[in-house]
Amino acid sequence: MPQIHPTAIVTPGATIAESVTIGPYATVGADVVLGEGVQIAAHAVVDGITTLAEGVQILPFASVGLPPQDLKYHGEPTRVEVGPRTIIREHATVHRGSVGGEGVTRIGADCLIMCVAHVGHDCQLADKVILANNVMLGGHVQIGDNVFVGGGTAIHQSVRIGRQAVIGGMSGVERDVIPFGSCMGNRARLIGLNLIGLKRRGFNREAINALRLAYRSLFLGRGTFDARMALVLQDQGTQPQVAEVLAFIEASSRRGLMRAGRQLDESAETEAA
């Protein structure tokens, strides 16, 4: 049977797996679904149409599934979905979707949402995303696999962050960040590639060198950006990681593409974590 503390409030109608643990003074709403092994710590709140997959941990004073901070929202049945083994730390907030978006806020598997981070309505986080302390995501932000966002960073609504990117702490991100990119600053600009992350994830030398050449051609080369895109497509378009970057750039965007902020040098590349 689930281990539910006597002081917890579990509204009738909630679906709770047998191995769930709910701590003191926690609150679980009527439309919540808790998978096997979910842990809800003391004083945490899970509400709305919210599904937590197996092994999710919600730590004290975090809240998941509360209404979006959107004046157009009037109680519509939007929802939150959190993938397996994701951890949401103290005082973090995850708001449910809005009628102006897909109607769902999604967080993938094996993510870590650190203390006081905020995931706004309709955000879409893929797997193994890490948001450090005090990160703020506006509504409709999209983040790919294995992205790290440094502490205190604010990401504007509708921004896209490609997979394997890294965002330096205390950044203000207003535009889309390419896959495998590294950016920082207020307002943030690209400073190179996430080389350390690429190596840690097992990308081979050929892939890394191809990405470095493509990055230099796209963001540090001469001529118009469209001309540089065409050249990279012609010369490197069949290389998988480069093709992924090009497809990301060509996809529909509401915020536009982040560009390089200064001349790239070796130290900028190697220091990207």
Side-chain angles (χ1 to χ4, degrees):
M1 296 293 293
Q3 298 181 36
I4 302 175
H5 194 275
T7 61
I9 299 174
V10 180
T11 308
T15 301
I16 301 174
E18 292 186 357
S19 54
V20 166
T21 301
I22 301 176
Y25 302 101
T27 301
V28 177
D31 296 315
V32 170
V33 177
L34 304 180
E36 294 290 348
V38 168
Q39 300 178 39
I40 310 295
H43 298 279
V45 175
V46 184
D47 203 1
I49 306 173
T50 296
T51 300
L52 306 184
E54 63 271 15
V56 169
Q57 298 179 46
I58 311 295
L59 273 72
F61 299 100
S63 64
V64 179
L66 273 67
Q69 296 176 127
D70 183 349
L71 294 176
K72 300 184 294 299
Y73 181 77
H74 300 291
E76 294 85 357
T78 57
R79 63 193 196 276
V80 170
E81 298 173 359
V82 180
R85 299 172 301 280
T86 283
I87 300 172
I88 299 176
R89 294 299 304 254
E90 298 89 336
H91 295 277
T93 53
V94 180
H95 288 173
R96 59 183 181 254
S98 72
V99 293
E102 295 187 15
V104 57
T105 302
R106 291 189 181 93
I107 299 177
D110 301 298
C111 295
L112 174 58
I113 313 300
M114 294 189 191
C115 298
V116 203
H118 172 66
V119 179
H121 61 83
D122 303 287
C123 286
Q124 308 291 310
L125 278 59
D127 298 339
K128 299 182 180 179
V129 172
I130 297 176
L131 306 183
N133 295 3
N134 298 289
V135 166
M136 299 168 283
L137 303 186
H140 311 277
V141 169
Q142 300 177 38
I143 300 182
D145 293 336
N146 292 301
V147 168
F148 175 83
V149 183
T153 290
I155 300 182
H156 194 285
Q157 63 185 33
S158 300
V159 161
R160 299 178 302 142
I161 310 293
R163 75 179 181 109
Q164 300 281 348
V166 60
I167 315 297
M170 303 298 291
S171 293
V173 181
E174 295 181 312
R175 298 188 181 276
D176 297 346
V177 180
I178 59 170
F180 318 108
S182 174
C183 74
M184 65 183 302
N186 185 12
R187 297 305 195 224
R189 305 292 281 181
L190 287 173
I191 60 169
L193 295 172
N194 181 15
L195 292 182
I196 292 177
L198 287 166
K199 293 172 182 176
R200 286 175 177 171
R201 296 284 184 267
F203 286 83
N204 60 35
R205 184 181 299 274
E206 179 183 359
I208 293 173
N209 287 340
L211 283 168
R212 293 179 71 173
L213 178 60
Y215 181 93
R216 291 175 182 273
S217 298
L218 286 169
F219 296 102
L220 303 174
R222 298 180 182 276
T224 68
F225 189 77
D226 286 345
R228 300 198 299 270
M229 275 277 293
L231 183 61
V232 172
L233 179 61
Q234 174 183 310
D235 293 344
Q236 297 180 262
T238 59
Q239 202 283 331
Q241 286 74 38
V242 174
E244 181 177 344
V245 172
L246 296 176
F248 180 91
I249 294 171
E250 292 176 339
S252 175
S253 171
R254 297 183 62 182
R255 297 299 306 167
L257 185 67
M258 184 180 292
R259 305 298 177 92
R262 58 183 174 84
Q263 183 66 32
L264 179 69
D265 56 27
E266 292 300 320
S267 61
E269 281 191 315
T270 55
E271 289 173 3

